Amino acid sequence: MDVEIETKHLSLWYGTKQALKDVNIKIPEKKVTAIIGPSGCGKSTLIRCFNRMNDIIENCRVEGKIFIDEHDIYDKKVDVVELRKNVGMVFQKPNPFPKNIYENIAYAPRIHGVKNKKRLDEIVKKCLKEAFLWEEVKDRLNESAIGLSGGQQQRLCIARALAVEPEIILMDEPCSALDPIATAKIEELIRYLSKEYTVVIVTHNMQQASRVSEYTAYMYIGKLIEFGSTRQIFENPKEESTENYITGRFG
């Protein structure tokens, strides 16, 4: 198993409240890893460590190490802007920019120095195709992204994340605001993306975790309780706590 992300003794506090407790995990490259667990267990906090989004929260303190491609991302020399370019993020609620569809995708490459119109056109088309959205919007690129449906907006946000060529895509409950049809499209997209990208998805939906992921991590009260292949976690969990959660006895 080629490891893309590794945490060693990762702990995190918001002020005096400890949200992560000594988390050690190795997340494989170009696979889908799902993180499951009850609300407030630290799932979102954990993935927000992978692109240092917790840095922007006041009184947040991190201990331990996180390696991406064997580089310590909390090293003082790390360029956080470059890190976030490499580690894209898709949030729970679709959040397209209040611009047209084309500009939603072209915005980030422009900031990173791509000025050539032909090159921007290529990036926009490629990313919309990768996000299974091109056929639906190719004649509407100058229309506002806000006019898209919720599912289309979420796929646009995924396309936007792809525009700066990340290696890793983090998804924080990307389907929780969507209907079943839109959810099915996102799940198909997640499986497709894992051929080229390392995908880490936080989900409260265990059926979704079992459908889309090859590996699953179960968290409870800030601790990583169990991590393994999705099949093993769902069919033969080693920890009683994992089994209780998966069978619905609590959570």
Side-chain angles (χ1 to χ4, degrees):
M1 178 175 91
D2 291 327
V3 176
E4 179 93 26
I5 306 169
E6 180 176 7
T7 72
K8 291 184 177 178
H9 305 295
L10 178 66
S11 293
L12 179 144
W13 290 261
Y14 296 124
T16 57
K17 181 183 182 294
Q18 189 169 2
L20 295 176
K21 300 169 184 173
D22 196 31
V23 174
N24 295 281
I25 191 170
K26 293 180 178 179
I27 291 176
E29 182 181 31
K30 291 186 181 169
K31 303 283 183 199
V32 181
T33 297
I35 302 176
I36 63 171
S39 295
C41 70
K43 305 185 295 290
S44 296
T45 296
L46 178 61
I47 68 162
R48 288 169 68 94
C49 289
F50 299 154
N51 64 353
R52 289 185 48 177
M53 282 209 56
N54 292 314
D55 288 17
I56 60 179
I57 298 170
E58 208 175 335
N59 295 325
C60 178
R61 178 167 63 89
V62 176
E63 284 182 7
K65 304 253 185 208
I66 302 176
F67 297 93
I68 290 181
D69 282 342
E70 300 181 355
H71 298 293
D72 180 1
I73 66 168
Y74 278 87
D75 188 295
K76 289 184 171 59
K77 298 196 221 47
V78 166
D79 179 341
V80 177
V81 173
E82 196 60 29
L83 171 69
R84 290 181 187 147
K85 179 173 177 272
N86 190 40
V87 186
M89 186 100 178
V90 177
F91 296 94
Q92 192 168 358
K93 193 166 179 290
N95 59 343
F97 299 144
K99 299 172 180 287
N100 67 31
I101 293 165
Y102 182 98
E103 285 303 324
N104 262 269
I105 312 292
Y107 181 76
R110 257 203 207 99
I111 285 178
H112 287 282
V114 180
K115 301 286 187 249
N116 181 287
K117 175 74 166 64
K118 185 166 179 260
R119 178 72 188 117
L120 286 170
D121 289 350
E122 287 168 358
I123 291 169
V124 170
K125 184 173 182 179
K126 174 177 180 283
C127 293
L128 288 170
K129 280 191 161 183
E130 281 194 329
F132 298 174
L133 194 56
W134 174 251
E135 291 301 325
E136 293 166 51
V137 302
K138 63 184 179 185
D139 301 320
R140 304 165 55 189
L141 296 179
N142 293 321
E143 293 179 21
S144 169
I146 309 300
L148 296 172
S149 72
Q152 288 174 325
Q153 285 187 15
Q154 193 64 300
R155 279 181 282 144
L156 180 68
C157 292
I158 293 169
R160 189 175 70 193
L162 300 176
V164 288
E165 300 181 329
E167 285 181 28
I168 298 165
I169 303 166
L170 309 175
M171 298 187 175
D172 192 356
E173 300 198 14
C175 304
S176 65
L178 305 179
D179 65 48
I181 292 169
T183 295
K185 284 189 175 173
I186 298 281
E187 289 182 2
E188 184 188 356
L189 174 54
I190 289 167
R191 286 190 292 269
Y192 169 76
L193 291 173
S194 68
K195 294 175 188 163
E196 295 294 325
Y197 306 91
T198 299
V199 181
V200 185
I201 173 172
V202 164
T203 178
H204 62 272
N205 182 326
M206 283 183 284
Q207 288 76 22
Q208 181 171 78
S210 66
R211 284 193 297 264
V212 303
S213 69
E214 287 117 314
Y215 290 86
T216 295
Y218 168 62
M219 294 186 70
Y220 183 60
I221 326 180
K223 291 182 178 175
L224 176 66
I225 305 299
E226 190 167 351
F227 175 68
S229 75
T230 297
R231 186 168 183 177
Q232 177 260 308
I233 293 289
F234 279 88
E235 293 180 8
N236 189 27
K238 294 186 172 75
E239 301 295 329
E240 187 181 356
S241 169
T242 313
E243 186 174 357
N244 287 343
Y245 182 70
I246 283 166
T247 56
R249 287 188 203 128
F250 79 89

